[in-house]
């Protein structure tokens, strides 16, 4: 049985891509989706076997890839990522069935999407440097094709794809250097060989490889300051692709850091992990702040992805730090919390991106300021988005809450230590967790409240109708998993513990127990998500029925009467008078003015007759990404400047080229002599 | 004691605690208004006036703006429900509340946050400018208050090695030194700032103003009528009592029942009422002598709360 599932995953995935490319447009998407489901099912079966038995699935083939061959090995750590990817992919491809007719049924897209899913399913299986890099590149290229999907209609998609292509390849170059460095020193390119040799490497080599890996994989995970591509590419990618990128692809960035840091190098000194925590804190704060002030629905979600990956990096760094300072029990809890945050993030962010894609299909816009009233017009999509939003805001009884609670407990119990560095790192970590928590709540109240509630702010929003069933089911699948994982986190925690143990190769006993109440082994921390939810539901039912009863007893008229809103007695209220996303975020933007530095442009034109009469006021406020403005723009500017200078070397004169040749020859002779 | 009996006792404790918060909320509001009136030289409404208001409101018709969805009507219900659920499992009159093992401080704060979020969503659902205004401001204040609160919880949890709320109260009973420690005091100072901010008291929000442009909380509930308005008022006052109850039990836990038994529980309840009453009167007196801060001065206050909490956490770590 062992490696049948790996072969099935790969071949069904390739079959889906071929079907997508070869079949006529009527059957193309449906058959690609069907085969992708087969591929995901096979991957789930294989991953379940690995997680159950604890033994990796191995597969080798010398013929598949020239020179190096393919080496695959699915470890429990990889299996967690495979399962997560498969679930998000199944929901997204189901959603694709309905979405396809909105510009995602071209031949290119039908090849790229199954290929993207398959490469993401296979990356965690890769067990040698060359296999890993080939799959990694395949994942980058197929997703790039998807980002470019709407480029004919939208100018921005091209620029987004450019940013994505450059950033992902700079990241890939860093990963390439890191892995090549390791395999050159180890004398073999399989991960097993590298891991076996890692103990004998010098500290400098290990640290260089780790830092390169953090930069390379961090850019895939959207860690600040390597995140600039993320709000562009995730926003421009079509619905299912953006859900896959945000729900599954960014995870693999974290996977890479765990792979290099823990599995290949077997942990490292404390300062490695302090770097990871610093990266996480920066991402979390920056992402949360920009999410809170964005007015573009998908950009908001993308920044929130950076925020969540920041929390994951904090957990990962804390786990490494605890392990480096010898507290293995808390390290295990932090690692489980990290993986739980990742899995949860995939579920709710996948649901949110799919719901946002539905909104884009129904209203034709991503601008929150042109939405409103969608909860009544698109009830299912609205509820899925609400569930996802409450989940990302870490509100009980949904899954985001359990993850953050576990991370908080891990950090809290990491404190009994003598190391000042650890104390400092934990305090900063909790501070970041706390600051981002509040901002995330504000961001998602804005997203739900402005986008889905109130009155429609544009004609398109007023005419919106609910999307087809397949899209509702696809998004609903992920929304439902948020609820289930929130109530019964023990469905996944044992698997995550096994993965954490295999990643850190520790023999720590399982640290979280209990189905109804979660107990942390050796620590005084208990959470009962099911009971909490039951209590809440009971309380809601009681209060709601009391409200009904009280009315029934004393009145004859209807309990609820729709009426014109009062609005402090204002007549003629128009939807334009409502708060917009911009005005909702204005107080926060003003509070964090020094960080965001929005550009404001106020233009008042007075009437000709008198300056006391104002004819028109135009106000424009844009907040561009400050990292992009202050870090990347200068680099791009410098590259352009350098290019301009280099241009003057070439003037077309043959004499000059001959002179270059002569100078070069003389220089070479001098060097040789 | 067999299990059926213990379940019954737990249920009874939960019901009594919920009932105390349910009745205590409006009454505390009445007391605070009375104190303010007297200090301002007015006679003021009777103390049970909020209860009378509730009785009046509950018999009226509910109104819903034309374009509002189910979220609008759900907001007040979930506000009251979250506070009631938390009141059942919090160490208010006894340190052994039902499911006390799982009454985690962190979890409780997030359950309460759920209520605030739905109230803010309900306000945005009205489709009026004031709803959005209140919601935006409340979320801004909340976003700035939450960090202070979470770090304050961390500061209190470090010496106790747990964030379990009954355990935090119990450690104060067993080792009064912990309460006098700078960590706990700084954290409680920060907690107090957060309570004032979250329950819309001065200097963050003026609960007795009805001038739209300055309002935070009242702007959110403008469109509610009848039972919905009653529920929001009830929920807000219950939350104030609940948070004050937690604050006083963390600051002066004496009196709270630490043993099973009816007498201890009754004593605990009486002690709780007394302590919360004192705290409420103190807040009312403070409100007479203070003015509302401008909205954009609030970050300074809340950042102050955050700094207090961070200092608390640092001292907690240092003095271990």
């Amino acid at each position: 049985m062992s490696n049948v599932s790996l072969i099935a995953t790969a071949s069904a995935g390739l079959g889906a891509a071929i079907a997508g490319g070869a079949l006529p447009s009527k059957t193309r998407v449906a058959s690609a989706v069907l085969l992708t489901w087969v591929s995901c099912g096979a991957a789930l079966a294989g991953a379940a076997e690995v997680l159950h038995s604890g033994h990796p699935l191995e597969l080798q083939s010398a013929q598949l890839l020239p020179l190096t061959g393919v080496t695959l090995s699915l470890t429990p750590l990889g299996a967690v990522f495979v399962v997560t990817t498969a679930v998000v992919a199944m929901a997204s491809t189901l959603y694709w069935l309905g979405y396809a007719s909105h510009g995602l049924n071209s031949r290119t897209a039908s090849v790229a999407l199954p290929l993207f899913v398959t490469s993401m399913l296979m990356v965690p299986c890769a067990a040698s440097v060359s296999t890993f890099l080939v799959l990694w590149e395949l994942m980058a290229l197929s997703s790039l094709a998807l980002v470019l999907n709407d480029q004919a209609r939208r100018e921005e998609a091209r620029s987004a794809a450019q940013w994505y292509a450059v950033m992902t390849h700079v990241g890939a170059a860093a990963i390439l250097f890191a892995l090549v460095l390791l395999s050159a020193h180890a004398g073999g390119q399989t991960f097993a060989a590298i891991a076996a040799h890692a103990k004998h490497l010098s500290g400098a080599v290990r640290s260089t490889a780790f830092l390169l890996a953090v930069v390379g994989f961090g850019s895939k995970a959207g860690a600040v300051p390597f995140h600039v591509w993320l709000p562009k590419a995730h926003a421009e990618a079509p619905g299912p692709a953006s859900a896959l990128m945000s729900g599954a692809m960014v995870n693999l960035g974290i996977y890479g850091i765990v792979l290099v840091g823990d599995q290949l190098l077997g942990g490292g000194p404390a300062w490695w992990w302090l770097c990871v925590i610093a990266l996480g804190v920066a991402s979390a704060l920056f992402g949360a702040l920009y999410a809170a002030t964005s007015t573009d629905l998908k950009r908001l979600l993308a920044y929130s992805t950076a925020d969540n990956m920041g929390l994951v990096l904090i957990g990962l760094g804390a786990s490494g730090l605890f392990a480096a300072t010898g507290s293995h029990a808390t390290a295990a809890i932090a690692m489980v919390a990290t993986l739980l945050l990742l899995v949860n993030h995939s579920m709710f962010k996948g649901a949110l991106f799919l719901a946002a894609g539905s909104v884009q299909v129904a209203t034709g816009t991503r601008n929150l300021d042109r939405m409103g009233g969608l909860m009544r017009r698109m009830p299912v999509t609205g509820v899925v988005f609400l569930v996802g939003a409450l989940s990302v805001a870490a509100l009980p009884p949904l899954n985001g809450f359990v993850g953050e609670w576990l991370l908080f407990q891990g950090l809290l119990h990491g404190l009994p230590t003598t190391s000042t560095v650890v104390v400092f790192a934990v305090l900063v970590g909790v501070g970041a967790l706390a600051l981002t928590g509040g901002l995330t709540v504000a961001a998602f109240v804005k997203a739900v409240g402005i986008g889905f509630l109130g009155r429609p702010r544009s004609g398109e929003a007023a005419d919106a109708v609910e999307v087809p069933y397949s899209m509702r089911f696809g998004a609903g699948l992920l929304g439902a998993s948020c609820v289930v994982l929130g109530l019964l986190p023990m469905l996944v925690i044992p698997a995550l513990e096994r993965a954490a143990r295999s990643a850190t190769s520790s023999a720590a006993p399982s640290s979280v127990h209990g189905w109804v109440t979660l107990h942390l082994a050796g620590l005084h921390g208990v959470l009962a998500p099911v009971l909490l939810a039951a209590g809440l539901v009971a309380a809601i039912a009681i209060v709601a029925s009391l409200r009904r009863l009280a009315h029934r007893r004393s009145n004859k008229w209807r309990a609820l009467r729709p009426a014109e809103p009062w609005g402090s007695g204002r007549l003629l209220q128009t939807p334009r008078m409502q708060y917009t996303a911009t005005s909702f975020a204005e107080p926060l933007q003003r509070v964090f003015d020094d960080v965001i530095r929005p550009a404001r442009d106020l233009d008042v034109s007075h009437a000709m007759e008198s300056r006391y009469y104002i004819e028109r006021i135009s106000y424009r406020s844009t907040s561009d990404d400050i990292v992009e403005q202050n870090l990347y723009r200068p680099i791009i500017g410098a590259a352009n400047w350098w290019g301009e200078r280099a241009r003057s070397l070439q003037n077309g004169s043959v004499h000059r080229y001959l002179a270059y040749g002569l100078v070069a020859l003389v220089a070479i002779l001098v060097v040789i002599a | 004691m067999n299990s059926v009996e213990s379940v019954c006792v737990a249920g009874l404790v939960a019901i009594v605690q919920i009932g105390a918060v349910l009745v205590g909320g409006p009454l505390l509001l009445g007391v605070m208004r009375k104190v303010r009136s007297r200090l301002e030289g007015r006679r003021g409404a009777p103390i049970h006036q909020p209860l009378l208001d509730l009785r009046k409101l509950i018999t009226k018709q509910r109104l819903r703006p034309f374009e509002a969805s189910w979220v609008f009507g759900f907001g007040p219900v979930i506000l009251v429900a979250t506070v009631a659920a938390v009141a059942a499992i919090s160490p208010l009159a006894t340190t052994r509340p039902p499911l006390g093992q799982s009454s985690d401080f962190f979890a409780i704060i997030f359950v309460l946050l759920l209520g605030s979020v739905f109230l803010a969503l309900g306000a945005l659902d009205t489709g009026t400018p004031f709803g959005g205004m209140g919601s935006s401001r409340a979320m801004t204040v909340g976003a700035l208050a939450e960090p202070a609160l979470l770090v304050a919880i961390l500061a209190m949890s470090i010496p106790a090695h747990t964030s379990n709320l009954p355990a935090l109260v119990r450690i104060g009973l067993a080792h009064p030194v912990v309460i006098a420690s700078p960590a706990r005091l700084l954290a409680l100072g920060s907690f107090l700032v957060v309570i004032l901010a979250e329950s819309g008291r001065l200097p963050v929000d003026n609960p007795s103003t009805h001038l739209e442009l300055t309002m935070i909380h009242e702007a959110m509930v403008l469109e509610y009528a009848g039972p919905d308005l009653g529920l929001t008022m009830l929920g807000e006052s219950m939350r104030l009592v609940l948070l004050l109850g937690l604050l006083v039990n963390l600051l002066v836990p004496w009196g709270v029942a630490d043993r099973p038994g009816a007498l201890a529980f009754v004593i605990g309840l009486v002690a709780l009422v007394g302590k919360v009453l004192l705290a409420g009167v103190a807040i009312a007196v403070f409100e007479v002598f203070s003015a509302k801060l401008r909205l954009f001065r609030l970050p300074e206050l809340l950042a102050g709360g955050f700094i207090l909490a961070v200092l608390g956490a640092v001292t907690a770590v240092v003095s271990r």
Side-chain angles (χ1 to χ4, degrees):
Chain A
M1 167 63 205
S2 61
N3 43 36
V4 175
S5 51
L6 287 181
I7 299 171
T9 306
S11 44
L14 286 178
I18 292 168
L23 292 175
S25 63
K26 275 193 179 152
T27 51
R28 173 190 296 164
V29 171
S31 44
V33 168
L34 197 67
L35 283 169
T36 311
W37 270 62
V38 172
S39 166
C40 289
L44 279 177
E49 192 189 327
V50 169
L51 286 172
H52 187 71
S53 69
H55 301 296
L57 290 183
E58 315 256 359
L59 179 67
Q60 277 183 342
S61 157
Q63 286 86 39
L64 268 179
L65 207 61
L67 297 180
T68 58
V70 168
T71 315
L72 296 175
S73 165
L74 185 57
T75 60
L77 176 71
V80 165
F81 287 84
V82 168
V83 170
T84 315
T85 306
V87 171
V88 175
M90 287 170 109
S92 307
T93 45
L94 181 62
Y95 179 92
W96 183 28
L97 282 178
Y99 192 92
S101 58
H102 298 279
L104 198 62
N105 57 356
S106 69
R107 232 172 255 286
T108 320
S110 312
V111 174
L113 211 137
L115 217 52
F116 182 37
V117 169
T118 313
S119 56
M120 285 195 296
L121 288 174
M122 299 309 287
V123 163
C125 306
S128 72
V129 172
S130 53
T131 316
F132 185 86
L133 288 172
V134 167
L135 289 167
W136 187 262
E137 196 54 31
L138 189 64
M139 178 176 87
L141 291 179
S142 51
S143 55
L144 185 59
L146 290 168
V147 173
L148 270 170
N149 184 63
D150 289 343
Q151 55 96 12
R153 276 181 295 163
R154 298 178 58 87
E155 187 72 30
E156 297 91 327
R158 269 172 253 171
S159 131
Q162 236 168 19
W163 276 94
Y164 177 45
V166 172
M167 289 305 294
T168 195
H169 281 105
V170 170
I175 295 167
L176 177 75
F177 278 123
L179 292 180
V180 166
L181 187 66
L182 287 177
S183 62
H185 281 271
Q189 64 128 355
T190 60
F191 287 168
I194 294 175
H197 196 264
K199 294 276 179 293
H200 315 297
L201 292 177
S202 72
V205 173
R206 288 165 59 91
S207 300
T208 314
F210 182 73
L211 289 184
L212 280 171
V214 166
V215 170
F217 289 117
S219 83
K220 187 57 85 178
V224 173
F226 317 115
H227 70 286
V228 278
W229 62 274
L230 198 131
K232 297 175 193 289
H234 287 204
E236 291 301 333
S242 59
L244 281 169
M245 288 174 82
S246 210
M249 192 179 73
V250 292
N251 290 354
L252 296 178
I254 304 295
Y255 170 75
I257 296 178
V258 180
L259 176 76
V260 173
D262 285 325
Q263 272 193 324
L264 296 188
L265 295 175
W271 69 266
W272 285 12
W273 304 106
L274 286 177
C275 291
V276 174
I277 293 182
L279 203 63
V281 168
S283 311
L285 291 179
F286 192 89
L289 198 52
Y290 272 85
T293 52
S294 297
T295 57
D296 179 321
L297 183 56
K298 285 175 87 172
R299 268 181 85 89
L300 184 155
L301 295 179
Y303 275 118
S304 152
T305 299
D307 160 19
N308 279 282
M309 287 301 120
L311 296 184
V312 169
L313 286 173
I314 291 174
L316 184 61
S319 165
L321 191 62
F322 295 153
T325 52
S327 31
H328 290 284
T330 33
I333 291 186
M335 192 69 190
V336 172
T338 305
L339 292 177
L340 188 61
L341 282 173
L342 261 182
V343 172
N344 288 338
H345 174 257
S346 296
M347 298 305 135
F348 58 65
K349 200 50 70 68
L352 285 168
F353 264 109
L354 291 183
S358 302
V359 169
Q360 199 178 355
V361 164
T363 64
T365 180
R366 301 193 317 244
N367 186 352
L368 282 170
D369 290 353
R370 297 184 60 76
M371 294 179 194
L374 297 178
M375 188 67 91
R376 283 168 71 88
R377 290 165 179 78
M378 307 170 70
V380 176
T381 305
V383 168
V384 169
F385 194 91
L386 178 67
V387 167
L390 295 179
S391 193
V392 68
L395 292 172
L398 297 161
N399 63 353
F401 169 68
V402 184
E404 290 210 10
W405 180 79
L406 208 54
L407 179 60
F408 183 80
Q409 295 295 331
L411 291 176
L412 169 63
H413 293 294
L415 272 181
T417 166
T418 47
S419 157
T420 323
V421 179
V422 175
V423 167
F424 177 74
V426 166
L427 284 182
V428 170
V430 173
L433 186 67
L435 276 167
T436 58
L439 289 171
T440 310
V441 171
F444 281 89
V445 165
K446 178 182 73 181
V448 175
I450 305 286
F452 289 84
L453 303 178
R455 300 163 71 184
R457 292 176 180 76
S458 67
E460 294 84 16
D463 297 336
V465 285
E466 184 61 284
V467 289
Y469 278 109
S470 68
M471 291 169 75
R472 279 183 250 176
F473 274 123
L477 190 67
L478 293 178
S481 63
C482 290
V483 178
V484 171
L485 287 184
L487 296 179
L488 298 170
M490 279 315 267
L491 284 174
V492 293
I493 286 178
L496 300 183
E497 283 185 328
R498 180 155 277 178
R501 272 201 296 268
S502 94
T504 53
S505 58
S506 74
S510 100
S511 49
V512 187
H513 305 278
W515 277 86
V516 176
T517 52
L518 293 182
H519 294 259
L520 300 181
L523 307 172
H524 198 83
V526 177
L527 182 72
V530 181
L531 296 180
L532 209 60
L536 267 180
V537 170
I540 290 169
I542 292 171
V543 175
S545 45
L546 282 181
R547 182 173 69 176
R548 264 188 113 80
L549 270 180
H551 182 266
R552 274 252 182 87
R553 260 191 51 212
S554 48
N555 293 307
K556 291 175 288 296
W557 57 72
R558 271 195 302 157
L560 180 64
R561 180 163 66 88
E564 183 72 21
W566 177 60
S568 291
R570 191 170 292 243
L571 292 176
L572 283 177
Q573 303 196 58
T574 66
R576 275 179 57 91
M577 291 159 102
Q578 291 176 95
Y579 254 46
T580 59
T582 317
S583 47
F584 188 90
E586 204 270 347
L588 273 176
Q589 194 167 28
R590 214 196 276 202
V591 171
F592 292 101
D593 213 17
D594 295 337
V595 189
I596 304 178
R597 295 200 215 134
R600 294 206 188 83
D601 193 8
L602 185 64
D603 187 16
V604 184
S605 45
H606 300 278
M608 289 286 282
E609 292 77 17
S610 162
R611 285 190 54 79
Y612 293 106
Y613 291 96
I614 288 171
E615 199 169 34
R616 201 177 46 178
I617 295 182
S618 73
Y619 173 79
R620 186 190 305 268
S621 167
T622 48
S623 55
D624 288 326
D625 197 311
I626 53 163
V627 173
E628 185 186 326
Q629 288 298 325
N630 299 331
L631 183 66
Y632 286 86
R633 293 284 170 199
I635 292 176
I636 295 171
N640 282 340
W641 180 86
W642 188 245
E644 286 292 325
R645 295 287 87 74
R647 208 183 216 177
S648 59
L649 288 175
Q650 311 246 12
N651 65 351
S653 149
V654 178
H655 301 102
R656 189 184 277 206
Y657 293 133
L658 287 174
Y660 288 157
L662 181 66
V663 171
L665 186 67
V666 170
I668 290 169
L669 287 176
V670 167
V671 169
I672 293 173
Chain B
M1 204 184 328
N2 62 33
S3 64
V4 176
E5 200 176 329
S6 65
V7 167
C8 287
V9 168
L12 204 63
V13 169
I15 290 171
V16 171
Q17 292 211 47
I18 293 175
V21 172
L22 194 72
V23 180
L27 280 182
L28 184 75
L29 218 55
V31 169
M32 288 171 78
R33 283 183 191 160
K34 190 80 176 176
V35 170
R36 273 192 76 164
S37 310
R38 279 297 162 87
L39 286 176
E40 288 166 351
R42 294 181 285 123
R43 181 176 293 171
I47 286 170
H48 63 285
Q49 184 63 42
L51 283 174
L52 298 178
D53 290 346
L54 269 180
R55 198 183 69 184
K56 175 187 75 182
L57 285 171
I58 206 123
T59 59
K60 302 227 167 200
Q61 192 173 27
R62 292 171 58 206
L63 297 181
R64 185 184 54 116
F66 283 126
E67 296 265 4
S69 65
W70 58 271
V71 175
F72 177 76
F74 195 55
V77 173
I78 201 160
L79 176 70
V80 174
T82 49
V83 180
V86 170
I89 62 169
S90 293
L92 291 174
T94 167
T95 59
R96 298 168 192 283
L99 301 180
Q101 213 189 6
S102 53
S103 105
D104 186 88
F105 209 158
F106 193 70
I108 277 181
I109 292 308
F110 275 82
V111 174
L112 290 178
L113 189 61
L114 185 67
S116 322
V117 163
F118 266 94
L119 203 60
L121 288 178
L124 282 169
D125 206 10
T126 59
T128 63
F130 293 118
M133 187 184 290
S135 176
S136 157
R137 290 175 179 175
M139 280 298 119
T140 305
V141 172
L144 298 173
E146 205 192 316
L149 188 51
L150 293 189
V151 179
I153 294 175
L154 179 76
M156 286 188 260
S157 308
I158 290 170
H161 297 295
T162 175
S163 55
N164 181 275
L165 205 40
L168 288 179
V169 175
R170 229 176 284 137
I171 197 174
L173 276 179
H175 311 282
V177 182
V178 172
I179 297 175
S181 70
R184 177 71 79 101
L185 292 178
L186 286 167
L188 286 176
S190 163
F191 190 31
L192 178 65
V193 171
V194 173
I195 292 178
L196 292 181
E198 285 284 323
S199 50
R201 311 299 305 188
L202 283 173
V204 175
D205 188 14
N206 188 348
S208 53
T209 183
H210 276 279
L211 180 63
E212 293 90 346
L213 292 176
T214 64
M215 299 187 303
I216 298 179
H217 172 69
E218 289 294 319
M220 280 201 289
V221 302
L222 269 182
E223 296 300 327
Y224 285 116
D228 286 338
L229 183 60
L231 282 179
T232 53
M233 198 196 90
L234 184 67
E236 287 292 323
S237 64
M238 282 169 71
R239 189 165 60 178
L240 179 64
V241 164
L242 175 72
L243 290 175
L244 281 181
L246 293 182
L247 177 76
V248 293
N249 273 354
L250 287 169
L251 185 65
V252 276
W254 296 284
V256 68
D258 199 23
R259 293 184 308 277
L263 184 64
F265 183 71
V266 171
I267 293 175
L269 201 60
V270 172
L272 177 78
V273 170
K275 286 185 282 188
V276 170
L277 204 61
L278 271 179
V281 169
I283 290 178
V285 172
F286 165 77
E287 285 189 330
V288 173
F289 295 103
S290 73
K292 183 181 171 306
L293 281 177
R294 273 185 62 210
L295 186 65
F296 289 105
R297 297 292 299 278
L298 283 184
E300 294 165 24
L301 177 75
L302 295 167
F306 184 60
I307 304 265
L308 281 183
V310 170
L311 286 178
V314 170
T315 47
V317 172
V318 171
S319 63
R320 243 174 334 102

